[in-house]
Amino acid sequence: MILNVKNISSGYTKKLSLRDVSFNFETGSVLCVIGHNGSGKSTLFKTILGIVKKENGEVYIDNENIENWN
């Protein structure tokens, strides 16, 4: 498994855009994220990349928690 997202919640200021989002992404898979403007698509990717601080949950890339990265 290349990407494992477990119960992440994040957003800006006091408003959470994402609540308890979980999914797995396997090598060779295709992921499509769709939604209305302001529904949290960019926030999801920014949270996975560590640009937006998550309120809770975990993100693993190649079975390593990204919080352990520099």
Side-chain angles (χ1 to χ4, degrees), residues 5-18:
V5 175
K6 294 182 177 182
N7 302 97
I8 61 169
S9 296
S10 67
Y12 303 95
T13 61
K14 296 182 184 204
K15 182 181 178 190
L16 293 178
S17 301
L18 305 173

Side-chain angles (χ1 to χ4, degrees), residues 34-66:
I34 58 173
H36 295 286
N37 290 346
S39 63
K41 299 177 302 290
S42 295
T43 303
L44 172 63
F45 288 107
K46 289 177 182 178
T47 302
I48 291 169
L49 294 171
I51 296 168
V52 172
K53 184 178 183 268
K54 57 185 171 20
E55 295 294 319
N56 65 320
E58 299 172 320
V59 177
Y60 293 88
I61 297 178
D62 284 337
N63 295 319
E64 184 178 344
N65 193 324
I66 64 167

